[in-house]
Amino acid sequence: QVQLVESGGGSVQAGGSLTLSCAASGYTNSYRCMGWFRQNPRKEREGVAAVRRDGAGTYYADSVKGRFTVSQDNTKKILTLQMNNLKPEDTAMYFCAAGPSFCLFNTWDVEETYNYWGQGTQVTVSS
C-alpha cells in the first residue's frame, strides 16, 4: 500500500504562483510513475504532469507547458508541482497519483496507469 497526501493548495490571483507537494508513505518501492491530475468544477479530470521515478522522463499537458514544473525527491519521497503564471482555468482540485509501471508519453495521462491516489488539494485562481 502507498499513501499519498497532497498539500499546498490555496487561492491566488491570476498571474500568481503556488507549489503543491505530495508526500508518499508506505510501500513506496512499488511505484514507478507519479503524476498530478486535476478535476475542474465541471467534474472533468485531466492529467497535468507526471515524472518517471528513474528520472528518464517528465510529461506535461499542453495547457500547462512552460508554466508548471514537476519534480521529485526520491529520498524524501515527495512529488512537487511548481505552478507559475496561474490562470482562472487552472482552478481545480489537484490530485497526486502513483502507479506501478514506468509512465510513457502515451500513458502518463491515463487514469488507469495509476493505482494509488491522494485526497486532493484545492487550487482557486481568481481573475
Side-chain angles (χ1 to χ4, degrees):
Q1 288 285 343
V2 176
Q3 293 78 43
L4 303 172
V5 178
E6 303 96 335
S7 62
S11 298
V12 296
Q13 291 191 326
S17 298
L18 282 175
T19 302
L20 304 185
S21 296
C22 173
S25 61
Y27 189 48
T28 54
N29 287 332
S30 64
Y31 66 81
R32 300 286 186 271
C33 175
M34 290 195 76
W36 289 98
F37 283 73
R38 64 186 180 187
Q39 183 168 315
N40 63 25
R42 298 181 298 278
K43 305 301 183 185
E44 300 163 332
R45 185 175 289 198
E46 65 170 344
V48 176
V51 58
R52 289 169 54 114
R53 189 169 187 175
D54 61 2
T58 54
Y59 308 93
Y60 296 93
D62 288 343
S63 59
V64 306
K65 281 181 182 177
R67 301 188 297 123
F68 291 12
T69 303
V70 64
S71 60
Q72 62 182 344
D73 183 328
N74 285 331
T75 301
K76 296 181 180 178
K77 299 178 175 55
I78 295 177
L79 180 72
T80 300
L81 184 68
Q82 176 65 43
M83 306 186 295
N84 297 325
N85 190 21
L86 283 160
K87 303 177 180 180
E89 52 263 43
D90 294 318
T91 294
M93 182 72 78
Y94 283 71
F95 297 89
C96 171
S101 301
F102 286 116
C103 33
L104 302 172
F105 72 97
N106 60 341
T107 63
W108 73 270
D109 58 348
V110 177
E111 291 185 46
E112 287 73 20
T113 296
Y114 306 88
N115 54 352
Y116 297 109
W117 294 81
Q119 294 299 307
T121 185
Q122 178 68 38
V123 171
T124 303
V125 184
S126 58
S127 57

PDB file of all heavy atoms in Angstrom, residues 5-12 15-23 36 67-72 78-86 94 96 120-125:
ATOM      1  N   VAL A   5      -0.398  12.099   0.289  1.00  0.00           N
ATOM      2  CA  VAL A   5      -1.041  13.244   0.932  1.00  0.00           C
ATOM      3  C   VAL A   5      -0.570  14.514   0.252  1.00  0.00           C
ATOM      4  O   VAL A   5       0.628  14.829   0.263  1.00  0.00           O
ATOM      5  CB  VAL A   5      -0.711  13.300   2.431  1.00  0.00           C
ATOM      6  CG1 VAL A   5      -1.367  14.530   3.064  1.00  0.00           C
ATOM      7  CG2 VAL A   5      -1.173  12.022   3.136  1.00  0.00           C
ATOM      8  N   GLU A   6      -1.526  15.237  -0.327  1.00  0.00           N
ATOM      9  CA  GLU A   6      -1.197  16.490  -1.004  1.00  0.00           C
ATOM     10  C   GLU A   6      -1.294  17.667  -0.046  1.00  0.00           C
ATOM     11  O   GLU A   6      -2.062  17.635   0.931  1.00  0.00           O
ATOM     12  CB  GLU A   6      -2.159  16.746  -2.175  1.00  0.00           C
ATOM     13  CG  GLU A   6      -2.219  15.655  -3.218  1.00  0.00           C
ATOM     14  CD  GLU A   6      -3.356  14.685  -2.988  1.00  0.00           C
ATOM     15  OE1 GLU A   6      -3.803  14.549  -1.832  1.00  0.00           O
ATOM     16  OE2 GLU A   6      -3.818  14.056  -3.964  1.00  0.00           O
ATOM     17  N   SER A   7      -0.550  18.708  -0.359  1.00  0.00           N
ATOM     18  CA  SER A   7      -0.628  19.957   0.401  1.00  0.00           C
ATOM     19  C   SER A   7      -0.211  21.103  -0.508  1.00  0.00           C
ATOM     20  O   SER A   7       0.363  20.871  -1.588  1.00  0.00           O
ATOM     21  CB  SER A   7       0.261  19.911   1.649  1.00  0.00           C
ATOM     22  OG  SER A   7       1.619  19.741   1.273  1.00  0.00           O
ATOM     23  N   GLY A   8      -0.492  22.325  -0.064  1.00  0.00           N
ATOM     24  CA  GLY A   8      -0.022  23.496  -0.781  1.00  0.00           C
ATOM     25  C   GLY A   8      -1.063  24.219  -1.603  1.00  0.00           C
ATOM     26  O   GLY A   8      -0.771  25.267  -2.196  1.00  0.00           O
ATOM     27  N   GLY A   9      -2.282  23.692  -1.665  1.00  0.00           N
ATOM     28  CA  GLY A   9      -3.314  24.389  -2.406  1.00  0.00           C
ATOM     29  C   GLY A   9      -3.716  25.692  -1.728  1.00  0.00           C
ATOM     30  O   GLY A   9      -3.324  25.976  -0.598  1.00  0.00           O
ATOM     31  N   GLY A  10      -4.509  26.485  -2.441  1.00  0.00           N
ATOM     32  CA  GLY A  10      -4.958  27.747  -1.875  1.00  0.00           C
ATOM     33  C   GLY A  10      -5.595  28.617  -2.936  1.00  0.00           C
ATOM     34  O   GLY A  10      -5.892  28.148  -4.036  1.00  0.00           O
ATOM     35  N   SER A  11      -5.786  29.876  -2.581  1.00  0.00           N
ATOM     36  CA  SER A  11      -6.401  30.839  -3.501  1.00  0.00           C
ATOM     37  C   SER A  11      -5.379  31.899  -3.876  1.00  0.00           C
ATOM     38  O   SER A  11      -4.713  32.451  -2.991  1.00  0.00           O
ATOM     39  CB  SER A  11      -7.612  31.490  -2.835  1.00  0.00           C
ATOM     40  OG  SER A  11      -8.607  30.536  -2.533  1.00  0.00           O
ATOM     41  N   VAL A  12      -5.276  32.166  -5.156  1.00  0.00           N
ATOM     42  CA  VAL A  12      -4.348  33.185  -5.637  1.00  0.00           C
ATOM     43  C   VAL A  12      -5.014  33.966  -6.756  1.00  0.00           C
ATOM     44  O   VAL A  12      -5.998  33.520  -7.344  1.00  0.00           O
ATOM     45  CB  VAL A  12      -3.027  32.585  -6.158  1.00  0.00           C
ATOM     46  CG1 VAL A  12      -2.269  31.890  -5.040  1.00  0.00           C
ATOM     47  CG2 VAL A  12      -3.283  31.622  -7.312  1.00  0.00           C
ATOM     48  N   GLY A  15      -1.900  35.112 -12.473  1.00  0.00           N
ATOM     49  CA  GLY A  15      -0.509  35.541 -12.564  1.00  0.00           C
ATOM     50  C   GLY A  15       0.334  35.109 -11.379  1.00  0.00           C
ATOM     51  O   GLY A  15       1.570  35.211 -11.417  1.00  0.00           O
ATOM     52  N   GLY A  16      -0.327  34.643 -10.324  1.00  0.00           N
ATOM     53  CA  GLY A  16       0.390  34.224  -9.135  1.00  0.00           C
ATOM     54  C   GLY A  16       0.958  32.827  -9.253  1.00  0.00           C
ATOM     55  O   GLY A  16       0.844  32.166 -10.289  1.00  0.00           O
ATOM     56  N   SER A  17       1.555  32.361  -8.156  1.00  0.00           N
ATOM     57  CA  SER A  17       2.215  31.052  -8.127  1.00  0.00           C
ATOM     58  C   SER A  17       1.790  30.274  -6.892  1.00  0.00           C
ATOM     59  O   SER A  17       1.450  30.855  -5.856  1.00  0.00           O
ATOM     60  CB  SER A  17       3.740  31.224  -8.102  1.00  0.00           C
ATOM     61  OG  SER A  17       4.200  31.883  -9.259  1.00  0.00           O
ATOM     62  N   LEU A  18       1.832  28.968  -7.034  1.00  0.00           N
ATOM     63  CA  LEU A  18       1.618  28.058  -5.916  1.00  0.00           C
ATOM     64  C   LEU A  18       2.524  26.852  -6.109  1.00  0.00           C
ATOM     65  O   LEU A  18       2.849  26.489  -7.255  1.00  0.00           O
ATOM     66  CB  LEU A  18       0.171  27.571  -5.856  1.00  0.00           C
ATOM     67  CG  LEU A  18      -0.891  28.491  -5.281  1.00  0.00           C
ATOM     68  CD1 LEU A  18      -2.272  27.873  -5.435  1.00  0.00           C
ATOM     69  CD2 LEU A  18      -0.624  28.788  -3.805  1.00  0.00           C
ATOM     70  N   THR A  19       2.889  26.232  -5.006  1.00  0.00           N
ATOM     71  CA  THR A  19       3.656  24.994  -5.065  1.00  0.00           C
ATOM     72  C   THR A  19       2.881  23.902  -4.346  1.00  0.00           C
ATOM     73  O   THR A  19       2.570  24.040  -3.162  1.00  0.00           O
ATOM     74  CB  THR A  19       5.031  25.156  -4.410  1.00  0.00           C
ATOM     75  OG1 THR A  19       5.747  26.207  -5.056  1.00  0.00           O
ATOM     76  CG2 THR A  19       5.827  23.865  -4.520  1.00  0.00           C
ATOM     77  N   LEU A  20       2.558  22.853  -5.067  1.00  0.00           N
ATOM     78  CA  LEU A  20       1.881  21.706  -4.474  1.00  0.00           C
ATOM     79  C   LEU A  20       2.909  20.631  -4.135  1.00  0.00           C
ATOM     80  O   LEU A  20       3.870  20.434  -4.877  1.00  0.00           O
ATOM     81  CB  LEU A  20       0.853  21.124  -5.442  1.00  0.00           C
ATOM     82  CG  LEU A  20      -0.217  22.071  -5.971  1.00  0.00           C
ATOM     83  CD1 LEU A  20      -1.222  21.299  -6.826  1.00  0.00           C
ATOM     84  CD2 LEU A  20      -0.922  22.795  -4.840  1.00  0.00           C
ATOM     85  N   SER A  21       2.676  19.956  -3.033  1.00  0.00           N
ATOM     86  CA  SER A  21       3.536  18.850  -2.632  1.00  0.00           C
ATOM     87  C   SER A  21       2.698  17.615  -2.400  1.00  0.00           C
ATOM     88  O   SER A  21       1.535  17.703  -1.995  1.00  0.00           O
ATOM     89  CB  SER A  21       4.301  19.194  -1.349  1.00  0.00           C
ATOM     90  OG  SER A  21       5.186  20.270  -1.561  1.00  0.00           O
ATOM     91  N   CYS A  22       3.306  16.467  -2.653  1.00  0.00           N
ATOM     92  CA  CYS A  22       2.654  15.190  -2.414  1.00  0.00           C
ATOM     93  C   CYS A  22       3.657  14.310  -1.675  1.00  0.00           C
ATOM     94  O   CYS A  22       4.723  13.994  -2.210  1.00  0.00           O
ATOM     95  CB  CYS A  22       2.243  14.545  -3.724  1.00  0.00           C
ATOM     96  SG  CYS A  22       1.608  12.863  -3.568  1.00  0.00           S
ATOM     97  N   ALA A  23       3.312  13.955  -0.444  1.00  0.00           N
ATOM     98  CA  ALA A  23       4.177  13.107   0.357  1.00  0.00           C
ATOM     99  C   ALA A  23       3.714  11.664   0.269  1.00  0.00           C
ATOM    100  O   ALA A  23       2.544  11.377   0.522  1.00  0.00           O
ATOM    101  CB  ALA A  23       4.159  13.582   1.813  1.00  0.00           C
ATOM    102  N   TRP A  36       0.308  14.211 -11.474  1.00  0.00           N
ATOM    103  CA  TRP A  36      -0.703  15.140 -10.963  1.00  0.00           C
ATOM    104  C   TRP A  36      -1.867  15.172 -11.945  1.00  0.00           C
ATOM    105  O   TRP A  36      -1.662  15.304 -13.154  1.00  0.00           O
ATOM    106  CB  TRP A  36      -0.134  16.548 -10.824  1.00  0.00           C
ATOM    107  CG  TRP A  36       0.843  16.724  -9.717  1.00  0.00           C
ATOM    108  CD1 TRP A  36       2.210  16.705  -9.797  1.00  0.00           C
ATOM    109  CD2 TRP A  36       0.541  16.960  -8.340  1.00  0.00           C
ATOM    110  NE1 TRP A  36       2.767  16.899  -8.565  1.00  0.00           N
ATOM    111  CE2 TRP A  36       1.760  17.069  -7.647  1.00  0.00           C
ATOM    112  CE3 TRP A  36      -0.652  17.105  -7.622  1.00  0.00           C
ATOM    113  CZ2 TRP A  36       1.831  17.298  -6.276  1.00  0.00           C
ATOM    114  CZ3 TRP A  36      -0.582  17.336  -6.261  1.00  0.00           C
ATOM    115  CH2 TRP A  36       0.646  17.432  -5.600  1.00  0.00           C
ATOM    116  N   ARG A  67       4.625  26.720 -17.807  1.00  0.00           N
ATOM    117  CA  ARG A  67       4.159  27.374 -16.579  1.00  0.00           C
ATOM    118  C   ARG A  67       4.322  26.476 -15.352  1.00  0.00           C
ATOM    119  O   ARG A  67       4.586  26.970 -14.259  1.00  0.00           O
ATOM    120  CB  ARG A  67       2.685  27.769 -16.720  1.00  0.00           C
ATOM    121  CG  ARG A  67       2.399  28.714 -17.860  1.00  0.00           C
ATOM    122  CD  ARG A  67       0.955  29.204 -17.818  1.00  0.00           C
ATOM    123  NE  ARG A  67      -0.019  28.127 -17.978  1.00  0.00           N
ATOM    124  CZ  ARG A  67      -0.974  27.857 -17.094  1.00  0.00           C
ATOM    125  NH1 ARG A  67      -1.089  28.575 -15.995  1.00  0.00           N
ATOM    126  NH2 ARG A  67      -1.833  26.876 -17.328  1.00  0.00           N
ATOM    127  N   PHE A  68       4.146  25.186 -15.528  1.00  0.00           N
ATOM    128  CA  PHE A  68       4.237  24.242 -14.418  1.00  0.00           C
ATOM    129  C   PHE A  68       5.509  23.413 -14.540  1.00  0.00           C
ATOM    130  O   PHE A  68       5.956  23.098 -15.654  1.00  0.00           O
ATOM    131  CB  PHE A  68       3.043  23.289 -14.419  1.00  0.00           C
ATOM    132  CG  PHE A  68       1.718  23.916 -14.072  1.00  0.00           C
ATOM    133  CD1 PHE A  68       1.545  25.290 -14.007  1.00  0.00           C
ATOM    134  CD2 PHE A  68       0.614  23.101 -13.815  1.00  0.00           C
ATOM    135  CE1 PHE A  68       0.323  25.854 -13.687  1.00  0.00           C
ATOM    136  CE2 PHE A  68      -0.614  23.649 -13.501  1.00  0.00           C
ATOM    137  CZ  PHE A  68      -0.754  25.023 -13.447  1.00  0.00           C
ATOM    138  N   THR A  69       6.055  23.036 -13.387  1.00  0.00           N
ATOM    139  CA  THR A  69       7.223  22.162 -13.358  1.00  0.00           C
ATOM    140  C   THR A  69       7.008  21.067 -12.323  1.00  0.00           C
ATOM    141  O   THR A  69       6.703  21.373 -11.161  1.00  0.00           O
ATOM    142  CB  THR A  69       8.496  22.941 -13.009  1.00  0.00           C
ATOM    143  OG1 THR A  69       8.689  24.008 -13.952  1.00  0.00           O
ATOM    144  CG2 THR A  69       9.711  22.020 -13.038  1.00  0.00           C
ATOM    145  N   VAL A  70       7.156  19.828 -12.752  1.00  0.00           N
ATOM    146  CA  VAL A  70       7.013  18.697 -11.832  1.00  0.00           C
ATOM    147  C   VAL A  70       8.406  18.192 -11.476  1.00  0.00           C
ATOM    148  O   VAL A  70       9.308  18.148 -12.323  1.00  0.00           O
ATOM    149  CB  VAL A  70       6.156  17.575 -12.458  1.00  0.00           C
ATOM    150  CG1 VAL A  70       6.815  16.975 -13.690  1.00  0.00           C
ATOM    151  CG2 VAL A  70       5.849  16.497 -11.426  1.00  0.00           C
ATOM    152  N   SER A  71       8.587  17.837 -10.223  1.00  0.00           N
ATOM    153  CA  SER A  71       9.872  17.314  -9.779  1.00  0.00           C
ATOM    154  C   SER A  71       9.645  16.330  -8.642  1.00  0.00           C
ATOM    155  O   SER A  71       8.583  16.307  -8.025  1.00  0.00           O
ATOM    156  CB  SER A  71      10.802  18.439  -9.336  1.00  0.00           C
ATOM    157  OG  SER A  71      10.242  19.172  -8.259  1.00  0.00           O
ATOM    158  N   GLN A  72      10.654  15.527  -8.376  1.00  0.00           N
ATOM    159  CA  GLN A  72      10.541  14.537  -7.314  1.00  0.00           C
ATOM    160  C   GLN A  72      11.808  14.494  -6.489  1.00  0.00           C
ATOM    161  O   GLN A  72      12.892  14.755  -6.998  1.00  0.00           O
ATOM    162  CB  GLN A  72      10.257  13.151  -7.914  1.00  0.00           C
ATOM    163  CG  GLN A  72      11.354  12.638  -8.818  1.00  0.00           C
ATOM    164  CD  GLN A  72      11.033  11.288  -9.440  1.00  0.00           C
ATOM    165  OE1 GLN A  72      10.135  10.580  -9.010  1.00  0.00           O
ATOM    166  NE2 GLN A  72      11.774  10.927 -10.474  1.00  0.00           N
ATOM    167  N   ILE A  78       8.864  12.821  -2.009  1.00  0.00           N
ATOM    168  CA  ILE A  78       7.968  13.949  -2.202  1.00  0.00           C
ATOM    169  C   ILE A  78       7.916  14.311  -3.677  1.00  0.00           C
ATOM    170  O   ILE A  78       8.952  14.438  -4.329  1.00  0.00           O
ATOM    171  CB  ILE A  78       8.414  15.167  -1.375  1.00  0.00           C
ATOM    172  CG1 ILE A  78       8.291  14.844   0.120  1.00  0.00           C
ATOM    173  CG2 ILE A  78       7.578  16.387  -1.720  1.00  0.00           C
ATOM    174  CD1 ILE A  78       8.782  15.961   1.019  1.00  0.00           C
ATOM    175  N   LEU A  79       6.711  14.475  -4.163  1.00  0.00           N
ATOM    176  CA  LEU A  79       6.476  14.946  -5.518  1.00  0.00           C
ATOM    177  C   LEU A  79       6.011  16.392  -5.433  1.00  0.00           C
ATOM    178  O   LEU A  79       5.154  16.714  -4.608  1.00  0.00           O
ATOM    179  CB  LEU A  79       5.406  14.097  -6.199  1.00  0.00           C
ATOM    180  CG  LEU A  79       5.049  14.465  -7.645  1.00  0.00           C
ATOM    181  CD1 LEU A  79       6.188  14.055  -8.580  1.00  0.00           C
ATOM    182  CD2 LEU A  79       3.747  13.784  -8.054  1.00  0.00           C
ATOM    183  N   THR A  80       6.574  17.250  -6.271  1.00  0.00           N
ATOM    184  CA  THR A  80       6.265  18.677  -6.214  1.00  0.00           C
ATOM    185  C   THR A  80       5.751  19.162  -7.562  1.00  0.00           C
ATOM    186  O   THR A  80       6.228  18.715  -8.611  1.00  0.00           O
ATOM    187  CB  THR A  80       7.520  19.474  -5.821  1.00  0.00           C
ATOM    188  OG1 THR A  80       7.966  19.039  -4.534  1.00  0.00           O
ATOM    189  CG2 THR A  80       7.214  20.965  -5.748  1.00  0.00           C
ATOM    190  N   LEU A  81       4.806  20.071  -7.517  1.00  0.00           N
ATOM    191  CA  LEU A  81       4.323  20.725  -8.732  1.00  0.00           C
ATOM    192  C   LEU A  81       4.422  22.229  -8.510  1.00  0.00           C
ATOM    193  O   LEU A  81       3.660  22.800  -7.720  1.00  0.00           O
ATOM    194  CB  LEU A  81       2.887  20.322  -9.047  1.00  0.00           C
ATOM    195  CG  LEU A  81       2.337  20.880 -10.365  1.00  0.00           C
ATOM    196  CD1 LEU A  81       3.066  20.250 -11.558  1.00  0.00           C
ATOM    197  CD2 LEU A  81       0.830  20.630 -10.481  1.00  0.00           C
ATOM    198  N   GLN A  82       5.382  22.858  -9.165  1.00  0.00           N
ATOM    199  CA  GLN A  82       5.529  24.309  -9.110  1.00  0.00           C
ATOM    200  C   GLN A  82       4.656  24.907 -10.198  1.00  0.00           C
ATOM    201  O   GLN A  82       4.822  24.590 -11.382  1.00  0.00           O
ATOM    202  CB  GLN A  82       6.992  24.705  -9.319  1.00  0.00           C
ATOM    203  CG  GLN A  82       7.229  26.207  -9.381  1.00  0.00           C
ATOM    204  CD  GLN A  82       6.916  26.897  -8.078  1.00  0.00           C
ATOM    205  OE1 GLN A  82       7.264  26.411  -7.000  1.00  0.00           O
ATOM    206  NE2 GLN A  82       6.213  28.034  -8.147  1.00  0.00           N
ATOM    207  N   MET A  83       3.733  25.766  -9.794  1.00  0.00           N
ATOM    208  CA  MET A  83       2.784  26.345 -10.733  1.00  0.00           C
ATOM    209  C   MET A  83       2.977  27.852 -10.784  1.00  0.00           C
ATOM    210  O   MET A  83       2.793  28.538  -9.770  1.00  0.00           O
ATOM    211  CB  MET A  83       1.347  26.004 -10.317  1.00  0.00           C
ATOM    212  CG  MET A  83       1.109  24.511 -10.133  1.00  0.00           C
ATOM    213  SD  MET A  83      -0.613  24.101  -9.827  1.00  0.00           S
ATOM    214  CE  MET A  83      -0.863  24.898  -8.247  1.00  0.00           C
ATOM    215  N   ASN A  84       3.353  28.368 -11.928  1.00  0.00           N
ATOM    216  CA  ASN A  84       3.577  29.800 -12.119  1.00  0.00           C
ATOM    217  C   ASN A  84       2.588  30.354 -13.135  1.00  0.00           C
ATOM    218  O   ASN A  84       2.002  29.608 -13.922  1.00  0.00           O
ATOM    219  CB  ASN A  84       5.008  30.047 -12.605  1.00  0.00           C
ATOM    220  CG  ASN A  84       6.052  29.607 -11.602  1.00  0.00           C
ATOM    221  OD1 ASN A  84       5.859  29.718 -10.392  1.00  0.00           O
ATOM    222  ND2 ASN A  84       7.169  29.113 -12.101  1.00  0.00           N
ATOM    223  N   ASN A  85       2.433  31.664 -13.102  1.00  0.00           N
ATOM    224  CA  ASN A  85       1.548  32.343 -14.046  1.00  0.00           C
ATOM    225  C   ASN A  85       0.182  31.650 -14.099  1.00  0.00           C
ATOM    226  O   ASN A  85      -0.335  31.324 -15.170  1.00  0.00           O
ATOM    227  CB  ASN A  85       2.179  32.376 -15.437  1.00  0.00           C
ATOM    228  CG  ASN A  85       1.421  33.276 -16.405  1.00  0.00           C
ATOM    229  OD1 ASN A  85       0.678  34.162 -15.993  1.00  0.00           O
ATOM    230  ND2 ASN A  85       1.585  33.016 -17.688  1.00  0.00           N
ATOM    231  N   LEU A  86      -0.399  31.461 -12.952  1.00  0.00           N
ATOM    232  CA  LEU A  86      -1.664  30.744 -12.863  1.00  0.00           C
ATOM    233  C   LEU A  86      -2.791  31.518 -13.540  1.00  0.00           C
ATOM    234  O   LEU A  86      -2.812  32.764 -13.524  1.00  0.00           O
ATOM    235  CB  LEU A  86      -2.011  30.469 -11.408  1.00  0.00           C
ATOM    236  CG  LEU A  86      -1.221  29.314 -10.790  1.00  0.00           C
ATOM    237  CD1 LEU A  86      -1.233  29.382  -9.267  1.00  0.00           C
ATOM    238  CD2 LEU A  86      -1.792  27.982 -11.266  1.00  0.00           C
ATOM    239  N   TYR A  94      -6.649  19.345  -7.243  1.00  0.00           N
ATOM    240  CA  TYR A  94      -5.458  18.687  -7.773  1.00  0.00           C
ATOM    241  C   TYR A  94      -5.178  17.425  -6.966  1.00  0.00           C
ATOM    242  O   TYR A  94      -5.138  17.461  -5.732  1.00  0.00           O
ATOM    243  CB  TYR A  94      -4.264  19.635  -7.716  1.00  0.00           C
ATOM    244  CG  TYR A  94      -4.291  20.677  -8.809  1.00  0.00           C
ATOM    245  CD1 TYR A  94      -5.227  21.707  -8.776  1.00  0.00           C
ATOM    246  CD2 TYR A  94      -3.403  20.628  -9.880  1.00  0.00           C
ATOM    247  CE1 TYR A  94      -5.272  22.656  -9.781  1.00  0.00           C
ATOM    248  CE2 TYR A  94      -3.440  21.573 -10.890  1.00  0.00           C
ATOM    249  CZ  TYR A  94      -4.377  22.580 -10.834  1.00  0.00           C
ATOM    250  OH  TYR A  94      -4.435  23.518 -11.836  1.00  0.00           O
ATOM    251  N   CYS A  96      -2.692  13.899  -6.514  1.00  0.00           N
ATOM    252  CA  CYS A  96      -1.441  13.205  -6.741  1.00  0.00           C
ATOM    253  C   CYS A  96      -1.762  11.731  -6.949  1.00  0.00           C
ATOM    254  O   CYS A  96      -2.684  11.198  -6.309  1.00  0.00           O
ATOM    255  CB  CYS A  96      -0.562  13.410  -5.506  1.00  0.00           C
ATOM    256  SG  CYS A  96       0.937  12.442  -5.450  1.00  0.00           S
ATOM    257  N   GLY A 120      -6.555  14.967  -2.588  1.00  0.00           N
ATOM    258  CA  GLY A 120      -6.671  16.187  -3.361  1.00  0.00           C
ATOM    259  C   GLY A 120      -6.454  17.450  -2.546  1.00  0.00           C
ATOM    260  O   GLY A 120      -6.636  17.468  -1.322  1.00  0.00           O
ATOM    261  N   THR A 121      -6.067  18.501  -3.236  1.00  0.00           N
ATOM    262  CA  THR A 121      -5.917  19.827  -2.635  1.00  0.00           C
ATOM    263  C   THR A 121      -6.483  20.847  -3.621  1.00  0.00           C
ATOM    264  O   THR A 121      -6.244  20.765  -4.826  1.00  0.00           O
ATOM    265  CB  THR A 121      -4.438  20.119  -2.289  1.00  0.00           C
ATOM    266  OG1 THR A 121      -4.350  21.367  -1.599  1.00  0.00           O
ATOM    267  CG2 THR A 121      -3.551  20.161  -3.524  1.00  0.00           C
ATOM    268  N   GLN A 122      -7.249  21.792  -3.095  1.00  0.00           N
ATOM    269  CA  GLN A 122      -7.965  22.729  -3.957  1.00  0.00           C
ATOM    270  C   GLN A 122      -7.090  23.911  -4.339  1.00  0.00           C
ATOM    271  O   GLN A 122      -6.417  24.507  -3.490  1.00  0.00           O
ATOM    272  CB  GLN A 122      -9.224  23.239  -3.231  1.00  0.00           C
ATOM    273  CG  GLN A 122     -10.027  24.270  -4.008  1.00  0.00           C
ATOM    274  CD  GLN A 122     -10.679  23.685  -5.249  1.00  0.00           C
ATOM    275  OE1 GLN A 122     -11.148  22.550  -5.245  1.00  0.00           O
ATOM    276  NE2 GLN A 122     -10.716  24.476  -6.326  1.00  0.00           N
ATOM    277  N   VAL A 123      -7.131  24.252  -5.615  1.00  0.00           N
ATOM    278  CA  VAL A 123      -6.471  25.443  -6.134  1.00  0.00           C
ATOM    279  C   VAL A 123      -7.535  26.329  -6.777  1.00  0.00           C
ATOM    280  O   VAL A 123      -8.285  25.876  -7.641  1.00  0.00           O
ATOM    281  CB  VAL A 123      -5.390  25.083  -7.176  1.00  0.00           C
ATOM    282  CG1 VAL A 123      -4.862  26.333  -7.859  1.00  0.00           C
ATOM    283  CG2 VAL A 123      -4.254  24.308  -6.509  1.00  0.00           C
ATOM    284  N   THR A 124      -7.593  27.569  -6.341  1.00  0.00           N
ATOM    285  CA  THR A 124      -8.559  28.519  -6.883  1.00  0.00           C
ATOM    286  C   THR A 124      -7.819  29.754  -7.375  1.00  0.00           C
ATOM    287  O   THR A 124      -7.067  30.369  -6.613  1.00  0.00           O
ATOM    288  CB  THR A 124      -9.604  28.915  -5.839  1.00  0.00           C
ATOM    289  OG1 THR A 124     -10.270  27.744  -5.360  1.00  0.00           O
ATOM    290  CG2 THR A 124     -10.630  29.863  -6.433  1.00  0.00           C
ATOM    291  N   VAL A 125      -8.026  30.088  -8.631  1.00  0.00           N
ATOM    292  CA  VAL A 125      -7.358  31.241  -9.223  1.00  0.00           C
ATOM    293  C   VAL A 125      -8.424  32.246  -9.648  1.00  0.00           C
ATOM    294  O   VAL A 125      -9.303  31.938 -10.445  1.00  0.00           O
ATOM    295  CB  VAL A 125      -6.521  30.830 -10.453  1.00  0.00           C
ATOM    296  CG1 VAL A 125      -5.751  32.035 -10.990  1.00  0.00           C
ATOM    297  CG2 VAL A 125      -5.552  29.696 -10.087  1.00  0.00           C
TER     298      VAL A 125
END
